């Protein structure tokens, strides 16, 4: 696939919901994703990354716990050294 503008909040919410974690009493999911957060990504790659991270986090909490996913703004340098504000 190719990169496109993806709304992170709805994309991550959908991916996490597909895992059925709301049915697990031992894991509390906390999403802190600004509604205006976006990324230029391949949606399939984003889904695979989030699925891998969430699956690894859940497996690392055999006794349960809190899974927190957050996004925000960060200034980074582009390939030419200029500062750019983006989403993380």
């Amino acid at each position: 696939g190719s990169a496109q503008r993806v709304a992170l909040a709805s994309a991550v919410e959908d991916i996490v919901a597909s895992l059925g974690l709301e049915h697990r009493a031992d894991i509390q999911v906390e999403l802190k994703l600004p509604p205006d957060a976006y990324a230029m990504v391949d949606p399939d790659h984003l889904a695979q990354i989030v699925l891998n991270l969430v699956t690894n986090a859940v497996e690392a909490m055999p006794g349960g716990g809190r899974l927190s996913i957050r996004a925000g703004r960060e200034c980074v340098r582009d390939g030419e050294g200029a500062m750019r504000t983006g989403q993380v």
Side-chain angles (χ1 to χ4, degrees):
S2 61
Q4 58 191 48
R5 185 178 167 138
V6 173
L8 290 177
S10 61
V12 171
E13 287 169 2
D14 291 346
I15 295 163
V16 171
S18 75
L19 295 172
L21 295 177
E22 69 274 5
H23 302 295
R24 300 247 337 233
D26 60 333
I27 302 216
Q28 297 85 42
V29 178
E30 176 184 63
L31 300 178
K32 291 187 177 184
L33 305 164
D36 63 343
Y38 66 91
M40 291 298 293
V41 296
D42 178 323
D44 294 330
H45 288 168
L46 176 64
Q48 190 61 54
I49 290 166
V50 173
L51 283 170
N52 288 346
L53 289 170
V54 170
T55 300
N56 290 344
V58 169
E59 288 176 359
M61 298 186 291
R66 175 180 293 153
L67 172 61
S68 180
I69 301 174
R70 291 177 247 172
R73 294 190 179 275
E74 181 175 292
C75 290
V76 296
R77 293 196 182 279
D78 68 10
E80 299 165 2
M83 292 300 290
R84 307 267 185 210
T85 299
Q87 307 291 330
V88 294

